[in-house]
Amino acid sequence: MSSLKAAEWFLEKQFPECNAAILAGSAVKGMDTSDSDLDLVILDESRSYPFRKTYTAHGWLIEAFVVTRDSFPMFIEAAAESGLPSILRMCTEGAVLRDDGSAAELIGLARDALQAGPYEWTTQQLSDARYDITNGLLDLQSSRDRAERLFIAGKLIGSVHEFVLRANRQWIGDGKWALRMLRRFDEELSNSLVAALEQLYRKDEHEPVIQLLHEVLRPYGGLLTEGYSEGCWEEE
């Protein structure tokens, strides 16, 4: 069964009273495969509270994000705080399958939130991120275990992606979206990160990663070790 037909049948059975439903993800772009899942944002005022639930129906794995009008601002707030705009992106980039006139309101709120961007990181949050990246860099530099270096580098790349984007008040991503969001903001940096990782994974050369991290941190003050404090732990 096609992704569109499966989504429509699923809504008819599981959410017959929903006010609006938006199908998002690869299915909307015609890029879905047999391994794809269907992402649905469902506005259903008959539900007393929002929830996320995974279903299987008609040969598809379906992720349902069920919201109400009262709860949707809470999702906007959470996205602005975390920097992850997943549900906002699904609303603005998806295809409306059901609508009693409510879809435009949902999409409008999501679009406004996306344009406003995530909350700006505080000085403390920037310092925390710099400190964590510094520690990872020093661990990578001193490690004599190849397996450890692979794990350290994996964590570092995720931290660097978040640091660069949040430091510039940009939305971040998770999984494949981490690279996509970094590419949107700085394609040259994302290409450099991928190239440095290739050197590490293929040739066990960690120097390119270390050099690149130094370059990333330099505009923000470079490595952070001595003098760093973490709020309540600071000595008076």
Side-chain angles (χ1 to χ4, degrees):
M1 183 178 293
S2 71
S3 56
L4 182 60
K5 177 73 77 172
E8 290 175 340
W9 282 24
F10 168 77
L11 290 169
E12 184 65 32
K13 180 179 180 181
Q14 296 289 344
F15 298 92
E17 300 180 28
C18 71
N19 304 85
I22 301 172
L23 175 64
S26 57
V28 176
K29 302 173 183 177
M31 299 171 61
D32 51 305
T33 68
S34 57
D35 296 319
S36 299
D37 59 2
L38 304 183
D39 296 321
L40 283 166
V41 179
I42 301 168
L43 175 65
D44 194 337
E45 289 294 275
S46 69
R47 309 285 170 152
S48 57
Y49 54 85
F51 63 91
R52 174 182 178 178
K53 188 173 181 179
T54 302
Y55 301 82
T56 54
H58 313 296
W60 292 88
L61 188 68
I62 300 176
E63 294 279 356
F65 300 80
V66 184
V67 302
T68 62
R69 280 191 179 85
D70 288 341
S71 67
F72 196 64
M74 177 181 68
F75 286 94
I76 293 176
E77 177 73 15
E81 183 67 38
S82 67
L84 279 168
S86 303
I87 196 168
L88 306 180
R89 189 172 58 241
M90 285 190 283
C91 289
T92 56
E93 297 179 3
V96 177
L97 301 186
R98 293 284 186 87
D99 188 14
D100 68 355
S102 304
E105 177 186 357
L106 207 66
I107 294 170
L109 289 171
R111 183 180 294 115
D112 290 345
L114 278 176
Q115 291 176 350
Y119 292 147
E120 185 175 5
W121 260 7
T122 64
T123 301
Q124 184 65 51
Q125 286 173 307
L126 286 169
S127 294
D128 292 344
R130 276 178 60 206
Y131 185 73
D132 287 341
I133 293 172
T134 299
N135 279 339
L137 187 152
L138 295 176
D139 284 343
L140 181 63
Q141 190 170 282
S142 62
S143 174
R144 297 183 179 181
D145 186 310
R146 170 173 166 75
E148 286 184 357
R149 288 196 293 273
L150 296 180
F151 273 73
I152 295 168
K155 183 176 184 295
L156 268 173
I157 295 306
S159 299
V160 168
H161 138 265
E162 183 177 20
F163 174 77
V164 170
L165 292 177
R166 293 305 303 270
N168 290 278
R169 203 176 175 186
Q170 300 292 314
W171 294 106
I172 64 173
D174 188 30
K176 62 189 177 186
W177 277 99
L179 178 59
R180 291 177 182 179
M181 299 305 281
L182 188 58
R183 274 178 175 163
R184 289 183 184 182
F185 176 67
D186 191 333
E187 186 171 5
E188 182 178 353
L189 174 59
S190 66
N191 290 339
S192 297
L193 281 172
V194 171
L197 281 177
E198 290 281 7
Q199 289 290 97
L200 175 63
Y201 293 148
R202 292 176 181 272
K203 300 181 180 180
D204 196 25
E205 296 177 359
H206 59 281
E207 289 82 6
V209 173
I210 292 172
Q211 180 180 349
L212 184 58
L213 294 185
H214 276 285
E215 294 174 4
V216 167
L217 291 179
R218 188 173 295 117
Y220 304 95
L223 302 184
L224 178 59
T225 51
E226 184 178 358
Y228 168 75
S229 63
E230 190 178 1
C232 62
W233 298 107
E234 184 177 2
E235 293 182 4
E236 295 183 359

